Amino acid sequence: MGRLANKIAVVTGANSGIGLASAKRFASEGARVFMTGRRPRELDAAVAEVGNGARGVQGDIANLADLDRLYEIVAAEADRIDVLFANAGGGSFAALSEITEEEYERTFSTNVKGTLFTVQKALPLLVDGASVILTGSTAASTGSPAFSVYGASKAAIRSFARNWILDLAPRRIRVNVLVPGPTSTPGLHGLASSEDERRAFVAAMEAQVPLGRMATPDETAAAALFLASDDSSFVNGSELFADGGQAQV
Ligand SMILES: NC(=O)c1ccc[n+]([C@@H]2O[C@H](COP(=O)([O-])OP(=O)(O)OC[C@H]3O[C@@H](n4cnc5c(N)ncnc54)[C@H](OP(=O)(O)O)[C@@H]3O)[C@@H](O)[C@H]2O)c1
């Protein structure tokens, strides 16, 4: 029996990187997985890669009508959610003097507003005792040059988990934050604007990690699986750092 046998899981931001690797892990452990993302072609390819009855639902988590549609589909086809991985997110580099209103709105709309309503609108479908996983970042607890808007948005995620476990206590719903360190995903590599910048950026990241390298998306997905499964049945409101030690030193 898989560790998520007969579970219904929703993974946002599942057409790439950490979300896609997690959808694969969840499905291979027996879950029926609903996968989301904005880009339809990438979503179709990701759903085919995951297989095992995975279902793609295209949408933007910052758009509340898209979230309503997602959960209408889950309600019609599955009736409940056992595991919600609110993972979709992203950011971009801008030093304090260069931050624009547009950059601020884009980052906070996705990472903060989008995560909040992804979880709120799932509440009627979440079973009592469900596992909710939010994706944080080491950028919430350490400083990085030109990354303050992203770091602040992920600090909000940490705060959401601490507070929501109290709001959801009567239903025994667990909420935890998965904190990836540098993970080799299209999203991370896409932060650089040229190949030279990307190489320098990766080398600088690796130098900050005591294990001396970035994580693979599947290593981060293994931590997501732990939080999704009953193996973490008494882990609640915590931050699980899968960061190679980056934020611990
Ligand atoms: N990679 C790292 O080193 C690292 C470290 C710490 C935290 N994280 C966090 O991990 C999560 C996954 O990132 P990743 O590295 O796997 O990046 P990625 O490869 O770019 O994946 C991001 C996923 O989120 C989706 N997404 C982004 N904005 C969305 C929106 N508004 N609505 C719906 N889906 C949206 C993307 O699909 P579409 O573009 O098609 O919508 C994609 O599926 C993010 O929350 C990120 O902040 C990553």
Side-chain angles (χ1 to χ4, degrees):
M1 280 276 272
R3 288 157 74 189
L4 298 181
N6 305 317
K7 304 268 190 196
I8 305 295
V10 173
V11 181
T12 66
N15 63 16
S16 176
I18 292 165
L20 172 55
S22 300
K24 273 192 217 162
R25 281 247 179 193
F26 291 4
S28 70
E29 291 288 342
R32 186 164 157 217
V33 186
F34 289 81
M35 302 167 56
T36 85
R38 291 166 301 180
R39 290 163 300 159
R41 201 176 322 151
E42 284 75 2
L43 185 60
D44 287 347
V47 167
E49 204 176 322
V50 170
N52 289 303
R55 165 76 148 102
V57 183
Q58 189 271 340
D60 182 342
I61 58 161
N63 179 328
L64 302 196
D66 283 4
L67 288 172
D68 287 335
R69 203 178 123 261
L70 163 66
Y71 292 125
E72 276 162 24
I73 290 170
V74 176
E77 297 182 12
D79 210 22
R80 67 172 203 279
I81 299 171
D82 301 292
V83 174
L84 172 60
F85 187 11
N87 161 76
S92 49
F93 289 127
L96 176 57
S97 57
E98 292 160 1
I99 294 165
T100 60
E101 186 178 12
E102 191 272 333
E103 144 80 359
Y104 168 83
E105 297 283 6
R106 184 161 26 89
T107 306
F108 270 71
S109 286
T110 295
N111 295 359
V112 183
K113 174 183 148 187
T115 302
L116 161 58
F117 290 103
T118 294
V119 178
Q120 186 207 63
K121 286 179 176 289
L123 291 176
L125 285 173
L126 283 167
V127 297
D128 288 359
S131 172
V132 174
I133 306 158
L134 314 178
T135 304
S137 171
T138 55
S141 44
T142 62
S144 311
F147 221 26
S148 63
V149 174
Y150 177 78
S153 73
K154 292 297 189 177
I157 296 295
R158 178 62 188 112
S159 183
F160 279 159
R162 287 188 193 282
N163 288 279
W164 291 347
I165 58 170
L166 297 172
D167 295 343
L168 299 175
R171 297 180 54 194
R172 295 174 291 101
I173 292 174
R174 298 186 294 118
V175 185
N176 289 290
V177 182
L178 172 60
V179 184
T183 306
S184 186
T185 64
L188 179 128
H189 293 290
L191 287 169
S193 49
S194 68
E195 181 53 23
D196 282 351
E197 190 183 301
R198 192 192 67 78
R199 262 196 239 110
F201 167 62
V202 167
M205 291 280 223
E206 289 178 340
Q208 289 170 15
V209 178
L211 288 181
R213 63 176 177 84
M214 295 203 286
T216 66
D218 189 54
E219 287 179 298
T220 309
L225 173 62
F226 168 70
L227 292 174
S229 75
D230 292 341
D231 290 346
S232 60
S233 54
F234 206 58
V235 180
N236 193 18
S238 78
E239 275 181 297
L240 176 55
F241 284 83
D243 70 343
Q246 183 200 26
Q248 317 310 315
V249 294

